[in-house]
Every structure is written in structure tokens, then in C-alpha cells.
């Protein structure tokens, strides 16, 4: 979070307009502009734990992390700067929440990359804050409007669910594979054998489908699930509860808040952070796993076949095998031995 994103660079073209504003930043924050922009006051609300970790170090209590923003997070803000995410239902959930809390007449700025579909902001907000495009640069659009009507926000109405192998999977906007099990996770699940035992860590747990499926045929596993997304954390907790399965679910940027060692770590790691391609999380997962696995424990991940993970696995563990593959995905397994780089 040091270099500014294209969206932030567009905002900086209008920095003089924000000097007297009390700004609430929200949405798909990818840098620390909220902590560095010259304003009368700045606050941040984010659903992404790793973004909150960075910004809270600079902004303290003026940075908040949660699924739903509340009045304390908004404070006395008179301006919203919203970074458009790539997921439209996520944008609708977050904007409805924020606009229900902000004062009538509040300035609303929406910025995002054109490929993310940011132009949808005009239609989405037309009944609350009619938007006009005021700038276009760096393949981004910047839109402005003023809040005329507050939307009604009902967080409970955002929940969805689907069935998988007789299990109920609870989901929320922005959670990976919200509408059904993705092909990669299905391939990973096909390699998990019944009667698995021991402590299992599910990194980047999403809606919790990997963990509940494993526990359904291996009831002796002890589950810990983690994700950076507040929506994923809440969805996984709800999925465990809906299926009567016990487990600890917590916010963590890969291993940032994880303690102890495990017998198995499973993951369908992301290779995007917002709109940006990023292998950081997966590489941190692989290299950090050796410090969180018992001897003989294993890391099992699914990844797009073209991603360069075999070399990283061999560097960290000294071994890897491909357990299953399709034209698009591979499931890798690496076993913790005494020669792994701890």
C-alpha cells in the first residue's frame, strides 16, 4: 500500500477540492491515500482486514473494519469517496449501507477502473444520488453526486444460500463463489479422503464450503477458518452453524493472526486483490505454512495450472506432488518434513 493505484491518482487530480471536506473512504481500497490526502478530517471503513491493518496503523480508530458500517464509523463525514469493487452486488450492499447513514446533501464520489464496471454507479445510485462523470483518466472514471434520498438498508436481506452434498452453504455479496461451488474448490474437495483427523486450517475460507464438506465425512477434524473479508468470515460462521459443525472463524491476512500448528492446511488461494493480479497471498501462504504445520503435516491447495507455484512449494518444502488436475486447475500437496525451511 505504498504506490497509488490509478483510481487514487485520478482522485489526486482533484485534491484541492477535498481540503475542507470531512471524508469517509470506503470500498475497494488498495493504497493508503486515505491516510495521506490533505482533508479537514478523514475516516475509513473497509470490509478487508489486510487493508484495515495497514490503514489503522496510520489512522488509529479513524479506520474501521466490519461487515456493516455503523454511525460511529461514519462520524460527522460530509463526503463519501467510494472505490468501486469488481463485484456489483458487493458495491450495492456497501453503498446502500453507507448512504443510509450519511446526511442528506452529502457529496458522493465514486471512482474505479472502467473494466470493473464503475459506470454502473450511475444507474445504481440514480434514485438516491444522481451521478455525473467528472473525470476520466488512467482508464478510470470518477463520478460525483449529492445524496438526495437515503436508501433503506437491511443487512439480513443480503444473505443467500445454496446446497452442496446435502450441506447448506450461506453466502453474502462479495464472497467468493457466492452462487455455487467453483470448479477449483470442487477439484480440491475430490482429493480430501474420509476419516481425516487432526487440526485443519482453511485459509481464505470464503463461505466455508471446504471446511464443512471435509467435516461432514471427517467429524474428528478440529477446524480453524480464516479470511481477510468480513463478509467471508460472517458467511463461514453462518455455514458452520447451519450444518451444526464446530470451528473457529477469524479475520487474518493469511497467517497474520494465526497461532499454533496444524496437521493440514487447505486453501483455494486468490490471485487477485480487487482488480489487480497478485500472487502475494498465495506465496505468503506457501512459505508461511512451514511455520504452522506439524512434522508430517501437509499443505493442500488448488490453483490455476499456469501459476508458478511448484517452484515456490519446492523452495519451501523440498517437495510437492500434483494430486489432481484439469485443463485449468491443479491440486498441489506438499508434506512438512524435517528439511523444510522453517
Amino acid at each position: 500500500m505504498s504506490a497509488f493505484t490509478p483510481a487514487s491518482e485520478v482522485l489526486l487530480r482533484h485534491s484541492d477540492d477535498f481540503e475542507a471536506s470531512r471524508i469517509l473512504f470506503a470500498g475497494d481500497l488498495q493504497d493508503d491515500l486515505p491516510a495521506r490526502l490533505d482533508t479537514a478530517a478523514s475516516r475509513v471503513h473497509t470490509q478487508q482486514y489486510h487493508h484495515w491493518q495497514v490503514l489503522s496503523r496510520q489512522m488509529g480508530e479513524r479506520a474501521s473494519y466490519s461487515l456493516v458500517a455503523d454511525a460511529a464509523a461514519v462520524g460527522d463525514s460530509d463526503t463519501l469517496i467510494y472505490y468501486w469493487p469488481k463485484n456489483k452486488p458487493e458495491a450495492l450492499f456497501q453503498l446502500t449501507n453507507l448512504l443510509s447513514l450519511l446526511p442528506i446533501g452529502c457529496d458522493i464520489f465514486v471512482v474505479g477502473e472502467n473494466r470493473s464496471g464503475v459506470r454502473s454507479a450511475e444507474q445504481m445510485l440514480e434514485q438516491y444520488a444522481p451521478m455525473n462523470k467528472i473525470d476520466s483518466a488512467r482508464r478510470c472514471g470518477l463520478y460525483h453526486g449529492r445524496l438526495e434520498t437515503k436508501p433503506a438498508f437491511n443487512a439480513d436481506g443480503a444473505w443467500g444460500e445454496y446446497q452442496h452434498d446435502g450441506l447448506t452453504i450461506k453466502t453474502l455479496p462479495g464472497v467468493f463463489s457466492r452462487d455455487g461451488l467453483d470448479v477449483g474448490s470442487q477439484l480440491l474437495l475430490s482429493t480430501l479422503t474420509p476419516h481425516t483427523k487432526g487440526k485443519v486450517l482453511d485459509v481464505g475460507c470464503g463461505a466455508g464450503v471446504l471446511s464443512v464438506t471435509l467435516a461432514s465425512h471427517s467429524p474428528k477434524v478440529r477446524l480453524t477458518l480464516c479470511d481477510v473479508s468480513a463478509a467471508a468470515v460472517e458467511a463461514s460462521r453462518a455455514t458452520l452453524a447451519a450444518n451444526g459443525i464446530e470451528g473457529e472463524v477469524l479475520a487474518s491476512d493469511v497467517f497474520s493472526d494465526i497461532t499454533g500448528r496444524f496437521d493440514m492446511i487447505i486453501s483455494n488461494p486468490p490471485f487477485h486483490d480487487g482488480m489487480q493480479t497478485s500472487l502475494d497471498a498465495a506465496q505468503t501462504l506457501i512459505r508461511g505454512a512451514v511455520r504452522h504445520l506439524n512434522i508430517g503435516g501437509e499443505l493442500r491447495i488448488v490453483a490455476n495450472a499456469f501459476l508458478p507455484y511448484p517452484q515456490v512449494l519446492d523452495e519451501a518444502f523440498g517437495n510437492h506432488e500434483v494430486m489432481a488436475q484439469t485443463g485449468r486447475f491443479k491440486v498441489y500437496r506438499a508434506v512438512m518434513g524435517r528439511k523444510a525451511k522453517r
Side-chain angles (χ1 to χ4, degrees):
M1 270 198 173
S2 54
F4 289 133
T5 63
S8 287
E9 290 180 349
V10 173
L11 286 169
L12 284 169
R13 289 155 58 100
H14 303 263
S15 57
D16 291 348
D17 298 334
F18 299 128
E19 290 181 356
S21 301
R22 298 188 302 276
I23 298 178
L24 172 65
F25 292 85
D28 188 25
L29 300 160
Q30 295 287 329
D31 56 38
D32 62 354
L33 179 67
R36 298 166 64 180
L37 188 63
D38 187 14
T39 68
S42 292
R43 294 174 177 270
V44 167
H45 178 264
T46 178
Q47 292 184 349
Q48 300 295 318
Y49 189 66
H50 57 315
H51 297 162
W52 172 81
Q53 285 178 309
V54 171
L55 291 166
S56 65
R57 286 195 289 268
Q58 301 174 70
M59 301 177 69
E61 294 182 354
R62 292 180 292 120
S64 61
Y65 161 80
S66 61
L67 174 64
V68 177
D70 59 15
V74 172
D76 62 350
S77 301
D78 60 19
T79 301
L80 171 67
I81 293 180
Y82 183 80
Y83 286 75
W84 189 264
K86 65 180 179 180
N87 184 285
K88 189 174 178 179
E90 180 182 8
L92 179 61
F93 179 89
Q94 293 175 352
L95 282 167
T96 305
N97 173 205
L98 295 167
L99 296 186
S100 72
L101 298 168
L102 288 161
I104 296 296
C106 176
D107 282 298
I108 310 295
F109 293 89
V110 177
V111 64
E113 294 189 36
N114 295 327
R115 60 178 175 154
S116 73
V118 65
R119 61 180 58 89
S120 298
E122 291 182 284
Q123 182 178 3
M124 183 182 293
L125 298 180
E126 62 181 350
Q127 61 181 313
Y128 308 117
M131 307 294 288
N132 293 301
K133 192 172 189 178
I134 61 171
D135 201 355
S136 181
R138 300 298 309 275
R139 298 179 180 176
C140 294
L142 175 63
Y143 298 80
H144 172 258
R146 285 191 173 86
L147 184 61
E148 297 179 355
T149 305
K150 290 190 179 188
F153 176 68
N154 176 19
D156 293 338
W159 284 95
E161 65 178 53
Y162 62 89
Q163 300 296 309
H164 172 69
D165 283 353
L167 299 164
T168 298
I169 311 302
K170 306 289 284 187
T171 66
L172 283 166
V175 175
F176 179 64
S177 291
R178 178 187 177 220
D179 299 319
L181 186 63
D182 63 285
V183 176
S185 293
Q186 182 69 64
L187 186 65
L188 176 56
L189 286 173
S190 73
T191 72
L192 297 175
T193 56
H195 313 301
T196 300
K197 298 179 182 179
K199 296 174 63 179
V200 177
L201 174 64
D202 182 352
V203 178
C205 55
V209 62
L210 295 180
S211 287
V212 294
T213 304
L214 174 62
S216 70
H217 57 63
S218 299
K220 292 187 178 181
V221 295
R222 288 168 287 163
L223 296 172
T224 301
L225 297 77
C226 69
D227 205 296
V228 293
S229 163
V233 169
E234 295 302 326
S236 285
R237 286 173 179 158
T239 295
L240 291 178
N243 296 284
I245 293 172
E246 294 185 0
E248 180 184 12
V249 188
L250 66 156
S252 181
D253 182 10
V254 194
F255 297 114
S256 69
D257 290 62
I258 299 297
T259 57
R261 291 183 178 271
F262 299 84
D263 299 297
M264 178 183 283
I265 297 173
I266 57 176
S267 184
N268 182 352
F271 65 97
H272 289 94
D273 191 354
M275 291 298 299
Q276 309 304 317
T277 299
S278 175
L279 305 183
D280 292 349
Q283 293 187 3
T284 299
L285 167 69
I286 293 169
R287 294 191 170 100
V290 297
R291 296 188 296 274
H292 290 278
L293 282 168
N294 293 317
I295 297 296
E298 66 170 274
L299 171 67
R300 196 175 302 195
I301 64 173
V302 63
N304 287 70
F306 67 87
L307 295 173
Y309 295 151
Q311 179 181 349
V312 185
L313 287 163
D314 287 341
E315 288 174 355
F317 285 86
N319 69 88
H320 84 275
E321 64 176 302
V322 177
M323 300 196 69
Q325 62 182 310
T326 65
R328 290 180 58 201
F329 297 100
K330 290 183 179 180
V331 176
Y332 297 103
R333 176 177 183 258
V335 178
M336 179 68 179
R338 298 186 184 280
K339 294 183 180 180
K341 295 180 180 179
R342 286 195 267 178

